[in-house]
């Protein structure tokens, strides 16, 4: 008798000890009471997936989740007292971040040439978050005599970095954050937060192969590298400076779209951390954590009802208008999955 062929079954690994997926009752409690229930319906939102690798986020970290009530209670942006070191005008009885800081803006700082449409990237983040988002002038960077420099005005300033014989270099992430802090202070009259993106890799200690980036919520700054978002590059698991091109690269148009999509998701995720949102454990959501790039890439661009409610409370954005503008953006960049999802959400409102 011939043997039956085994069906391909996906392998799952357990969540980290202590973590339990939230129940429906837990999700409802995390959302809390809402007036416009249609905007925060759980229908169409998928629960967090099971782990398929021991390196997955929830296979490593036991996160409690952040309810809407906790977000509002613990978030310093809701405080009636001006945040430390903020030099812009402040209205203590304002309800939202822009009512409290009327001239406030978020800033994107490019470190080196990103080869991206930065204006569209900032416009996307502004639509997504409901807060003005502007692009600062590119921070020029280069190598001179085996040392890495960044430019402040007309002056070159050397920063901590490591340079390989093949010319590749990585910037120390703490040194990079110092440059971001300088630009936060330089624009202190209206800067809420500054987040930097770079195509240069980052490291923290000598033993690091690389670090994706770092944020300092209390200082309202962050820096992240997007080099590994390029699908046409491969990276050694042993040597940080060993970066090679794939044999059959993706087309230039598809590559540009993919890097842009991944960078856009990174930008809104990390900016929302600076605005007080913790990782989301309730649904598949752009605020899920990730343990590695493969997990990061398969996570959605969308906000779950609980995280959407947080953004609504923080910015008082028009939810319908937000979705209408987002679907236009997704169509422009051929993000079919996101177009379909947002269209279904809009249809559910009518």
């Amino acid at each position: 008798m011939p043997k039956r062929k085994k069906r391909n079954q996906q392998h799952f690994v357990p969540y980290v000890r202590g973590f339990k997926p939230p129940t429906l009752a837990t999700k409802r409690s995390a959302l809390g009471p809402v007036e416009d229930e249609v905007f925060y319906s759980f229908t169409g939102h998928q629960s967090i997936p099971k782990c398929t690798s021991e390196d997955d986020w929830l296979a490593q970290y036991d996160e409690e989740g952040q309810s809407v009530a906790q977000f509002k209670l613990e978030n310093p942006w809701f405080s009636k007292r001006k945040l430390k070191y903020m030099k812009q005008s402040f209205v203590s009885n304002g309800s939202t971040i822009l009512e409290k800081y009327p001239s406030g803006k978020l800033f994107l700082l490019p470190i080196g040439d990103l080869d991206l449409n930065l204006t569209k990237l900032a416009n996307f983040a502004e639509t997504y978050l409901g807060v003005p988002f502007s692009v600062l002038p590119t921070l020029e960077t280069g190598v001179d005599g085996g040392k890495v420099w960044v430019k402040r005005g007309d002056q070159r300033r050397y920063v901590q970095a490591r340079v390989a014989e093949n010319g590749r270099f990585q910037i120390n992430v703490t040194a990079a954050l110092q440059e971001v802090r300088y630009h936060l202070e330089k624009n202190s009259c209206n800067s809420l937060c500054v987040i930097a993106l770079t195509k240069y890799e980052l490291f923290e200690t000598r033993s690091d192969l690389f670090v994706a980036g770092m944020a300092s919520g209390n200082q309202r700054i962050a820096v992240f590298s997007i080099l590994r978002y390029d699908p046409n590059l491969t990276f050694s698991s042993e040597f940080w400076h060993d970066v090679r091109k794939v044999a059959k690269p993706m087309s230039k148009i598809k590559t540009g779209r993919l890097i842009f999509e991944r960078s856009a998701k990174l930008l809104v995720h990390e900016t929302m951390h600076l605005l007080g949102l913790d990782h989301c454990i309730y649904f598949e959501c752009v605020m899920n954590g990730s343990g590695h790039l493969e997990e990061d890439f398969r996570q959605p661009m969308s906000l779950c009802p609980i995280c959407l409610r947080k953004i609504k409370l923080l910015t008082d954005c028009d939810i319908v208008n937000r979705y209408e503008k987002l679907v236009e953006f997704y169509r422009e960049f051929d993000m079919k999955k996101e177009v379909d999802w947002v269209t279904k959400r809009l249809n559910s409102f009518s």
Side-chain angles (χ1 to χ4, degrees):
M1 181 180 234
K3 293 183 179 180
R4 289 184 178 180
K5 290 184 178 180
K6 292 184 179 180
R7 293 181 180 178
N8 290 328
Q9 294 183 339
Q10 192 168 17
H11 173 69
F12 297 113
V13 300
Y15 293 118
V16 68
R17 183 184 294 274
F19 178 79
K20 293 182 179 180
T23 63
L24 179 59
T26 301
K27 293 175 184 178
R28 286 174 174 165
S29 176
L31 177 62
V34 293
E35 294 181 0
D36 301 319
E37 293 185 6
V38 66
F39 295 142
Y40 308 107
S41 169
F42 291 174
T43 303
H45 291 274
Q46 302 299 315
S47 296
I48 53 169
K50 295 180 180 179
C51 298
T52 57
S53 164
E54 61 184 13
D55 294 325
D56 282 2
W57 165 50
L58 290 175
Q60 300 184 72
Y61 303 103
D62 178 15
E63 299 212 31
E64 296 181 359
Q66 178 193 49
S67 69
V68 172
Q70 288 173 316
F71 169 75
K72 193 168 184 180
L73 179 66
E74 300 168 358
N75 193 330
W77 294 108
F78 288 111
S79 175
K80 291 186 179 296
R81 300 177 64 182
K82 181 188 283 192
L83 293 184
K84 195 174 182 181
Y85 305 122
M86 294 284 276
K87 296 181 180 179
Q88 56 193 274
S89 59
F90 177 69
V91 181
S92 62
N93 61 354
S95 299
T96 68
I97 189 170
L98 291 180
E99 287 179 3
K100 288 181 177 295
Y101 299 94
S103 61
K105 285 185 178 182
L106 301 166
F107 285 102
L108 168 61
L109 174 66
I111 299 179
D113 182 20
L114 295 183
D115 195 23
L116 291 172
N117 188 323
L118 299 178
T119 299
K120 287 196 173 182
L121 191 62
N123 288 345
F124 167 73
E126 180 171 327
T127 298
Y128 199 100
L129 301 169
V131 180
F133 218 124
S134 296
V135 182
L136 293 171
T138 298
L139 184 61
E140 292 183 44
T141 309
V143 180
D144 181 16
K147 295 182 179 181
V148 176
W149 54 264
V150 297
K151 206 168 184 181
R152 287 188 184 178
D154 296 328
Q155 301 296 318
R156 288 183 177 182
R157 182 175 182 273
Y158 291 104
V159 296
Q160 184 180 353
R162 55 187 181 188
V163 182
E165 291 182 0
N166 63 2
R168 288 200 168 272
F169 64 86
Q170 290 184 332
I171 300 174
N172 178 267
V173 70
T174 302
L177 274 179
Q178 289 175 353
E179 296 305 312
V180 182
R181 185 182 300 112
Y182 168 79
H183 286 274
L184 176 80
E185 294 170 354
K186 185 178 178 181
N187 296 276
S188 59
C189 63
N190 59 356
S191 58
L192 296 172
C193 305
V194 177
I195 181 166
L197 296 183
T198 181
K199 272 195 173 180
Y200 303 123
E201 286 221 282
L202 305 167
F203 77 102
E204 186 173 13
T205 64
R206 285 179 175 271
S207 61
D208 289 332
L209 194 62
F210 75 100
V211 294
M214 185 177 290
S216 177
N218 290 336
Q219 298 184 59
R220 302 176 283 119
I221 54 175
V223 60
F224 287 87
S225 171
I226 63 169
L227 182 67
R228 292 181 181 245
Y229 287 179
D230 189 335
N232 298 324
L233 298 178
T234 62
F235 299 84
S236 169
S237 59
E238 294 184 72
F239 306 107
W240 65 264
H241 49 78
D242 187 1
V243 182
R244 305 182 184 186
K245 294 182 178 180
V246 298
K248 295 182 178 180
M250 189 180 290
S251 73
K252 187 175 181 180
I253 291 176
K254 287 185 177 180
T255 297
R257 284 176 175 172
L258 187 57
I259 294 175
F260 191 97
E261 177 182 343
R262 290 171 173 177
S263 300
K265 185 164 68 172
L266 169 72
L267 182 61
V268 295
H269 177 102
E270 297 300 341
T271 303
M272 282 190 284
H273 276 321
L274 295 178
L275 295 176
L277 279 78
D278 290 347
H279 281 145
C280 176
I281 65 165
Y282 302 106
F283 295 94
E284 286 191 340
C285 175
V286 75
M287 289 310 294
N288 294 152
S290 60
H292 50 91
L293 283 176
E294 184 181 339
E295 184 178 30
D296 179 14
F297 294 160
R298 66 174 179 250
Q299 290 170 341
M301 183 77 85
S302 55
L303 283 173
C304 76
I306 294 166
C307 292
L308 178 62
R309 179 63 177 156
K310 294 173 185 177
I311 289 296
K312 173 66 175 177
L313 288 171
L314 185 66
T315 69
D316 195 28
C317 61
D318 183 319
I319 293 177
V320 174
N321 181 257
R322 173 183 180 273
Y323 278 132
E324 289 173 342
K325 288 184 177 180
L326 285 178
V327 79
E328 291 176 8
F329 173 87
Y330 295 147
R331 285 197 183 103
E332 180 180 354
F333 286 88
D334 199 30
M335 296 164 64
K336 296 176 182 178
K337 182 179 178 181
E338 303 304 332
V339 168
D340 182 58
W341 192 90
V342 174
T343 301
K344 288 179 179 177
R345 294 301 296 166
L346 285 169
N347 291 338
S348 73
F349 299 156
S350 55

